[in-house]
Amino acid sequence: MIHEVLDVIFKDLNHYFARRLGVQEPKVVVNNLLSEAGKTPPANQNKLVVSLVNLTTDTFLSTNPSPGGFMKKNPPVGVNLEVLIASFFDDYQEGLKFLWLAISYFQGKAIFTRENTPGLSPGTGRVIVESVHLSRSDNYQLWRTTGTHYRPSIVYKIRFQSVEDVLSEELPTITAVTTDKPSL
């Protein structure tokens, strides 16, 4: 599900670049910042590179009434992705231009639904994208952790709820409660 959400959102961003600038080749790639050998992958050349830097989940409490009782099933899972969008352009100014256009895009389209983004799978609820403010120290630590040198970049949190149905079983309705009191 994570790969599908990232793929759909950043394909949509590539379409935005194509409409806005007339560029034919994709300018955004979801990829590692570095290869296992510690080199920049060729696929990152002259692109905005999107890389997952943190993942957390939330669970939601819910009751699931059904006609004969309640359904026993796992609640939906809230997924929080933090992604780094970094400029890997040879031309610094060109990289800044695409980074700014990406920021503008997410400013204008911060909520993705199946209605405004048809590629989202039916098991995905709303997808919400918001920028994450990093202090200078946090930004330094992030880039140090990636193992590469700083590049112009921004971090976004992408939140969505997985509503995929999992195994469930119907539980009968409780109709009476009795207690066994010991007699004195």
Side-chain angles (χ1 to χ4, degrees):
M1 170 104 22
I2 293 169
H3 68 287
E4 291 172 359
V5 168
L6 292 179
D7 185 57
V8 168
I9 289 173
F10 292 104
K11 275 185 181 173
D12 200 49
L13 179 57
N14 272 317
H15 288 123
Y16 172 76
F17 290 156
R19 285 189 312 274
R20 181 88 190 258
L21 302 173
V23 294
Q24 297 305 311
E25 76 173 81
K27 291 296 182 182
V28 182
V29 62
V30 179
N31 203 4
N32 292 315
L33 300 178
L34 295 176
S35 68
E36 290 296 320
K39 306 273 186 212
T40 300
N44 295 2
Q45 193 71 26
N46 291 311
K47 303 273 195 283
L48 289 181
V49 179
V50 178
S51 190
L52 181 64
V53 294
N54 195 24
L55 166 68
T56 59
T57 59
D58 300 319
T59 54
F60 302 96
L61 296 176
S62 65
T63 58
N64 303 298
S66 71
F70 283 87
M71 296 297 290
K72 177 183 173 186
K73 69 179 190 178
N74 291 332
V77 174
V79 180
N80 302 300
L81 310 174
E82 287 185 10
V83 296
L84 174 70
I85 302 177
S87 171
F88 275 73
F89 285 80
D90 293 336
D91 180 333
Y92 190 78
Q93 294 294 328
E94 187 78 352
L96 293 177
K97 176 177 82 175
F98 276 96
L99 188 59
W100 176 249
L101 286 171
I103 293 168
S104 299
Y105 169 78
F106 288 119
Q107 179 69 27
K109 188 175 182 181
I111 299 175
F112 296 78
T113 63
R114 290 190 58 215
E115 288 76 34
N116 69 11
T117 313
L120 286 175
S121 73
T124 306
R126 286 186 323 158
V127 178
I128 300 169
V129 179
E130 58 190 38
S131 64
V132 175
H133 171 75
L134 294 180
S135 68
R136 187 178 299 230
S137 174
D138 290 341
N139 201 28
Y140 172 78
Q141 288 295 350
L142 174 62
W143 280 97
R144 185 174 170 158
T145 303
T146 65
T148 187
H149 299 289
Y150 174 80
R151 293 179 178 268
S153 58
I154 188 166
V155 174
Y156 281 98
K157 179 184 277 191
I158 300 174
R159 297 181 294 134
F160 64 94
Q161 183 176 341
S162 168
V163 291
E164 289 183 37
D165 199 4
V166 293
L167 296 176
S168 61
E169 107 186 43
E170 190 167 336
L171 301 174
T173 303
I174 298 172
T175 57
V177 178
T178 60
T179 60
D180 292 331
K181 285 187 175 181
S183 52
L184 296 174

